Amino acid sequence: MKLAADEQAMLEGRQGKAKQKAMDLLVRYGEALGAERFVDTNNVCGTVGASTPFLREYGQKHGGLDAVFSEFNLDSAEVVEIPKVAVRSSHLQQGIDPEHAERQGIPVEVVKLHRRGEVYSAGLGIEMLNTCAPYTVGNVPAMGEHCAWMESSAVIYINSVLGARTNAEGRESAGCAMLTGKIPYWGYHLDENRLGTHHVELDIAVENITDWGLLGYYIGEVVQDRIPVISGVRQAPDLPKLKHFGAAAASSGGVEMYHLAGITPEAPTLEAAFGRNKPVMTFRYGKAERRQAYEHANITGRSPNVDFVMLGCPHYTLDQIGEVARLLEGRRVHENSELWIFTPRQTRLLADQKGYSKVIADAGAHLMSDTCSALGRVIPKGTRVAAADSAKQSHYLPAIMGIECWFGSTAECVDAAVTGRWNGGLQ
Ligand code: F3S
């Protein structure tokens, strides 16, 4: 790779050992990808610290959190002192919600270590947003801004809806980008890699969040990791719909970018979305495809006895919490079931002020933050059958936790929590 003067200085160790290790890793990474140079980034979203049992144990054995950062962010067995981050950096979701640790089955000692980890990361200058939806709580990159973000649902959102530019980074590349402000210039950073490859023509109206989730789930299965361009959208979706659509497409396939013709910023027209590309495939999405997506999203659901309902994948917005509060008003979660709702911790504060948290708590449900069931592996003890209003969560809960999971609307999920039974169906 061709290095600029500041990059060369970091690689030679003139800005300290940690930056040297970071630049060394980024050069190896960039060369493996075929990148010719780096691009500056001032917006990194990643994971540091020790939020899993394995990492906590590693840190305890090897002398603390600098050791964890050295080994798992810098690929260095040698422990180096980690300086403050060089650019704006935000933390993604973690493994637990310290405020609900007992309910999540997390021992007190682990909570103490977790809190120490948070102090460490914040001390490095990282914004502890602790969410997979940082764009809902103040980290909203600008159009064309080069970023280095992890987390598939966040990556697809900022590439497609905001027109920012990121590849799906890993813990290592994101950690190194935090220290150097550099990321290889390849993939979605380049204009030519952001053009559409597949054309999806909508034959039906896609209206509510459930429908947008199903559409994303279907498209991801067909296009895998390519770039779909969707035409025929009758009404522009709002943030929660876009959030659910992208998360579903990124989990059934590996979609990191899409265009909605006439809606998303790099697709003012269908032609602009494809640029010089000819679609490699054109397909329609109608009633039959919607049904197929619904059946796939419900493939593991068998028993109607639901003992756990998970809402908030990706992390809920304030309006979504408000909707759940309205659905729960005057009702109670069934004694054989649990309802957990996940949101960024900042949004939880707003939900407290709005009174939503009280309604939710009065109904026996729990508003949580910082983590989620599938990726944090936090579910109520003994859960066998779950329900979720997110195609992503219904995809991952069975795969990661080995349980059944129903997929349906938010109202169906709340009903399942209140009655302990799944009565959902495709409307
Ligand atoms: Fe977020 Fe977990 Fe879903 S990290 S996108 S809530 S699987």
Side-chain angles (χ1 to χ4, degrees), residues 93 131-133 151-154 247 310 312-315 342 371-376 390 392-393 396:
Q93 73 281 351
T131 177
C132 52
E151 169 43 46
S152 64
S153 72
M310 187 281 183
C313 169
H315 282 176
F342 293 86
T371 185
C372 86
S373 293
L375 298 197
S390 156
K392 174 169 180 174
Q393 195 69 200
Y396 283 122

Side-chain angles (χ1 to χ4, degrees), residues 278-299:
K278 285 220 170 352
V280 293
M281 182 182 174
T282 296
F283 58 95
R284 307 184 89 75
Y285 180 84
K287 278 187 184 163
E289 290 75 19
R290 178 173 177 262
R291 173 154 293 282
Q292 187 182 319
Y294 183 81
E295 282 163 8
H296 283 195
N298 273 296
I299 206 154

Side-chain angles (χ1 to χ4, degrees), residues 212 233-238 241-242 260 262-263:
W212 278 97
V233 178
R234 296 179 202 174
Q235 198 181 9
D238 60 10
K241 290 172 186 161
L242 291 161
L260 301 181
I263 296 172

